[in-house]
Amino acid sequence: MSEQHAAAQDVWERYEDEEWRQDQSHWRGVGRWKDDKRWQAIGKHTLSKLRATWRLLDRPHFPEPFVALEWGPGGGTNLFAMQRLCRTYYGVDISPSNLAECERMITQEGHSNLFTPVLLTAQPSDILAIVKEPIDVFISTAVFQHFPSKEYGIEVLRAIKAVSKPGTLGVVQIRYDNGNEKFRSITDLSEYRERHITANSYQIDEFWKILRDTGFSPLMIRDINAQVNYATFIFHCT
């Protein structure tokens, strides 16, 4: 697992084109995200999915303030959207630069004590030593597709289960495998640098089963985008 971690960090922290890396990591004001409405729209869409799922579960109200954990926060668009709803927001990343950008951005918004950066140094279970309170919400958008293997994604879900409590709500966007060669998972770590954008994908039923096997109860799949093979899984901790 540490070898996979190193291959991913080589791209997401030490890529030779820093502006491109920041754009891919969704930094506010960089590349595609110079349009601030477009940048904010990502977080707004994530928050709308959380609210809709809360209603689906027939819970009386959205819990505020809550404890959230995002795997791969990038430049912090989801953090920005939830800044007034959380008391603690854990951001888990392999990139110190991304974590520093999240902290800079949210401090500039006036919330200096909200964000808790969690830097992975070897493997997903690193978070267990840092996340000290059970989480209410787990988010990961456009990140599982960059993992160096399916097994790495499974280890992420196991780590999340360990810091969740019964009822924790999860929203995870994956790239799904429907046989399209463009979106197949890599089979050798040597492919990662060239194919890190489309390194990992799961068949729809496969990811549903993985959620169940790691202790979660899948609720629904939404926002299927056949152009880029995106699908969002909504689930909760049993």
Side-chain angles (χ1 to χ4, degrees), residues 73 79 89-91 99-100 102-103 106 111-118:
L79 169 61
Y89 196 104
Y90 292 102
L99 294 174
C102 283
E103 198 153 25
I106 205 64
H111 298 281
S112 58
N113 297 318
L114 171 62
F115 183 66
T116 300
V118 182

Side-chain angles (χ1 to χ4, degrees):
M1 195 63 67
S2 59
E3 185 180 359
Q4 294 183 29
H5 175 88
Q9 191 177 47
D10 191 49
V11 170
W12 295 104
E13 177 60 20
R14 294 184 289 271
Y15 200 74
E16 55 269 18
D17 185 342
E18 176 60 12
E19 185 172 349
W20 183 91
R21 191 199 69 80
Q22 291 178 10
D23 174 82
Q24 291 297 315
S25 297
H26 299 177
W27 281 34
R28 190 179 196 178
V30 177
R32 294 167 292 168
W33 317 113
K34 290 178 181 176
D35 180 346
D36 203 55
K37 287 185 178 180
R38 185 180 184 185
W39 182 80
Q40 290 190 36
I42 299 172
K44 288 179 179 179
H45 189 48
T46 301
L47 182 56
S48 73
K49 284 186 266 193
L50 286 171
R51 291 193 185 279
T53 306
W54 211 258
R55 292 193 295 269
L56 175 70
L57 291 170
D58 199 28
R59 295 179 182 177
H61 57 82
F62 204 61
E64 298 175 22
F66 57 82
V67 178
L69 186 151
E70 180 174 10
W71 206 285
T77 179
N78 289 324
L79 169 61
F80 179 87
M82 298 179 202
Q83 61 185 290
R84 293 179 177 83
L85 304 177
C86 301
R87 70 173 183 272
T88 304
Y89 196 104
Y90 292 102
V92 181
D93 212 300
I94 62 175
S95 166
S97 299
N98 284 351
L99 294 174
E101 170 61 13
C102 283
E103 198 153 25
R104 183 205 65 78
M105 181 278 298
I106 205 64
T107 298
Q108 191 175 54
E109 294 296 320
H111 298 281
S112 58
N113 297 318
L114 171 62
F115 183 66
T116 300
V118 182
L119 178 65
L120 296 186
T121 58
Q123 56 196 1
S125 59
D126 288 350
I127 73 168
L128 303 185
I130 302 172
V131 178
K132 298 300 186 182
E133 53 186 324
I135 64 172
D136 298 298
V137 170
F138 168 54
I139 305 161
S140 188
T141 56
V143 175
F144 271 61
Q145 69 204 45
H146 302 308
F147 289 157
S149 70
K150 293 181 180 183
E151 291 74 21
Y152 192 97
I154 292 170
E155 289 303 310
V156 167
L157 291 172
R158 286 177 177 154
I160 292 301
K161 178 62 170 63
V163 298
S164 295
K165 59 188 177 184
T168 294
L169 182 62
V171 176
V172 170
Q173 182 189 61
I174 67 161
R175 223 186 271 280
Y176 64 86
D177 177 8
N178 63 350
N180 186 334
E181 177 65 16
K182 180 179 179 181
F183 300 117
R184 69 168 176 84
S185 293
I186 61 174
T187 55
D188 191 284
L189 198 56
S190 63
E191 298 179 81
Y192 186 80
R193 188 167 186 82
E194 181 180 351
R195 293 203 49 228
H196 57 275
I197 296 299
T198 56
N200 193 39
S201 62
Y202 301 85
Q203 294 177 347
I204 294 288
D205 58 336
E206 176 185 25
F207 197 75
W208 188 278
K209 183 177 184 301
I210 286 170
L211 286 171
R212 293 182 64 87
D213 289 347
T214 50
F216 297 101
S217 179
L219 297 169
M220 66 176 174
I221 303 164
R222 56 172 288 175
D223 297 341
I224 292 178
N225 184 333
Q227 290 185 321
V228 290
N229 282 37
Y230 277 158
T232 297
F233 282 72
I234 310 293
F235 53 95
H236 68 124
C237 184
T238 52

